[in-house]
Amino acid sequence: MKELMDAIVKPAAGPGLELRKVPVPVPGPGEVLIKVHKTAICGTDVHIYNWDPWAREHITHPPMTIGHEYVGEIAALGAGVEGLAIGQRVSGEGHITCHHCRNCHTGNIQWCRNTKSVGVDRDGAFAEYVCIPETNVILIDESLDEDVVAFFDAFGNATHTALMWDLVGEDVLITGAGPIGIIAAGICKYAGARRVIITDLNDYRLQLARKMGVNAAVNTAREDLTAVMKQEGLTEGFDVGLEMSGSSAAFRQMCGVMRNGGKISLLGLGKDTMEVDMNAIICKGLTLQGIYGRKMDNWHQMSYMVQGGLDLHPVITHRYHYTDFEKGFAAMNSGQSGKVILSWAD
C-alpha cells in the first residue's frame, strides 16, 4: 500500500478546494522528492479556488494538488540524480520546460513553448511532499527566512519585471499594488530608482506599499496622479513603467504619463481583451516588454538582494497552518492581505 500524505486538492470542476489524503509521490529517474516546510498562496491559486474563467481554461484534469510557491528540504532522490543531497534546503522553479526547443537551447527557458506548470498542469506543492525534476531544484541558503523563501516564485516574477530595465536614478510608475507589485516597488528602491510611485484602488495594499518604501502610493479613484508627479518633482514623465494590474484604464494612464522613449514591463494579465492606444505608444516611442515567469538567474538575484538588505517581511500579512487553508484563501479573496503563508509543520 502506498504511503499517504495531506494535500490541498482541486477535487472537481467548480469552486473550492479540499484537504485530502493522497499518495506520496515517488521520484522517478532524474526527479527529486521535496518535503514541504512552508507554502505561499498565489493569485493563480485564488483563480483555481474561485474557478474563474482562467481556471476553467487551464485546469483540465482535476482532481489535482495545487500550489507552486514553497520551500522545503530534499527527502529522496530518484535514480541518476547527482549534485544534490537529502536534507538540503530547496525551493523549485515552477515552470517545467522541454529542454529541446529553440528558447530552451538559447537560455530563454521562460519562453519555452512546451512549458508545464507545477500546481496547474501537474500536481503541485500544497502538500506534505512535492516531486519535481532535478533541473528545477533551487538550493536555498540556510541564512534565508523560510517565510520569505516560500514566495520566491512570486518574488521572481517581480524581479524579472523590475530588472528588465536599468533603474538607477530613474522614476518608476507601478500600476497595481497586489503582492507582486508591492514586491517590485521594494526591488526598484533597492536597485537605485530615484522615485517609485504605485497606483491602485485598494487602500490596504497601498499602505503595504508605503511600508516597502515607495515615494507615493496613489488611489486613482480619488487622487490626481499628475498632481502627485508634480509634487515629487517629475517634469517629463516616468522613465520606467511596471504594469501589474491587467487593467485597461491603468495601462492607458501609464502610457499617458511616460516620458518620450520610456520603457514598460507588462506582467498583469487582464480578465478581458485590453484596449491599447497605439498612437500614444508610437508617438512617444515607448518600448513594451511582455514578462512571463522568471529567468533562472533571478533565483540567485533574489537570494543576494535579501542577503544584501532587501526586507520583504512587510509583504507578509497572514500566517496559517495548512489545515486552516480556507482562512488563507478568505484573506486573499478579501483584498485585505499581502502574502499569505501556510505552514506544513506537524
Side-chain angles (χ1 to χ4, degrees):
M1 181 178 293
K2 287 188 175 181
E3 184 180 358
L4 299 179
M5 66 177 182
D6 282 348
I8 299 172
V9 172
K10 169 59 73 173
L17 299 167
E18 289 183 6
L19 184 63
R20 286 187 173 184
K21 291 288 187 181
V22 302
V24 175
V26 177
E31 293 185 330
V32 174
L33 182 69
I34 298 170
K35 178 177 175 57
V36 176
H37 294 174
K38 301 281 182 71
T39 58
I41 300 176
C42 173
T44 298
D45 304 317
V46 176
H47 289 312
I48 296 171
Y49 181 95
N50 294 337
W51 201 241
D52 64 11
W54 184 93
R56 292 195 291 272
E57 178 182 353
H58 289 87
I59 305 300
T60 57
H61 301 292
M64 64 170 292
T65 301
I66 74 161
H68 57 275
E69 297 186 7
Y70 64 96
V71 61
E73 64 180 275
I74 295 177
L77 303 173
V81 175
E82 298 180 353
L84 297 172
I86 291 174
Q88 287 179 305
R89 181 191 279 185
V90 293
S91 186
E93 168 56 49
H95 295 131
I96 296 175
T97 55
C98 71
H99 306 291
H100 302 299
C101 69
R102 178 177 177 178
N103 281 320
C104 284
H105 281 168
T106 55
N108 293 304
I109 68 168
Q110 70 275 9
W111 295 324
C112 172
R113 62 185 296 177
N114 303 307
T115 296
K116 301 296 183 184
S117 295
V118 173
V120 175
D121 301 304
R122 56 182 279 162
D123 284 329
F126 283 3
E128 294 182 89
Y129 294 90
V130 63
C131 188
I132 62 172
E134 64 174 313
T135 51
N136 284 65
V137 174
I138 307 293
L139 292 174
I140 299 296
D141 192 276
E142 293 289 337
S143 68
L144 299 174
D145 181 0
E146 288 196 341
D147 280 4
V148 172
V149 179
F151 60 89
F152 260 29
D153 185 287
F155 184 13
N157 288 329
T159 300
H160 189 185
T161 306
L163 299 186
M164 179 59 61
W165 317 111
D166 182 6
L167 297 172
V168 176
E170 301 287 63
D171 295 319
V172 181
L173 173 64
I174 301 173
T175 47
I180 296 179
I182 295 168
I183 295 168
I187 295 169
C188 291
K189 294 297 291 186
Y190 180 86
R194 183 178 76 136
R195 295 282 187 274
V196 177
I197 296 176
I198 192 166
T199 65
D200 204 288
L201 304 177
N202 184 321
D203 286 326
Y204 181 95
R205 286 182 166 167
L206 289 171
Q207 184 58 31
L208 287 182
R210 293 185 182 98
K211 293 180 180 180
M212 287 301 297
V214 297
N215 296 90
V218 182
N219 187 320
T220 52
R222 61 172 186 270
E223 298 176 80
D224 183 352
L225 177 59
T226 57
V228 174
M229 292 168 62
K230 185 176 181 180
Q231 293 169 6
E232 293 293 329
L234 278 72
T235 57
E236 294 187 23
F238 290 94
D239 306 295
V240 173
L242 310 181
E243 207 307 290
M244 309 293 211
S245 69
S247 163
S248 294
F251 181 58
R252 285 195 300 272
Q253 183 176 55
M254 173 176 280
C255 291
V257 295
M258 297 296 293
R259 70 166 173 84
N260 289 359
K263 299 174 176 61
I264 297 176
S265 294
L266 301 166
L267 182 73
L269 294 173
K271 294 181 179 179
D272 301 302
T273 301
M274 183 180 290
E275 293 184 5
V276 176
D277 183 353
M278 291 300 297
N279 290 341
I281 294 169
I282 292 168
C283 293
K284 285 193 168 189
L286 301 180
T287 300
L288 274 59
Q289 175 66 58
I291 305 292
Y292 183 74
R294 294 149 300 284
K295 294 182 178 180
M296 287 303 288
D297 63 351
N298 289 156
W299 286 93
H300 300 286
Q301 288 176 315
M302 289 185 282
S303 294
Y304 300 156
M305 284 190 288
V306 171
Q307 290 172 331
L310 176 59
D311 184 10
L312 296 177
H313 287 93
V315 182
I316 303 170
T317 58
H318 296 75
R319 294 174 173 86
Y320 298 104
H321 191 259
Y322 72 87
T323 53
D324 287 324
F325 74 91
E326 290 282 7
K327 294 179 181 178
F329 278 90
M332 290 288 287
N333 268 319
S334 74
Q336 305 295 294
S337 74
K339 291 303 293 185
V340 175
I341 307 300
L342 301 178
S343 171
W344 291 81
D346 294 336

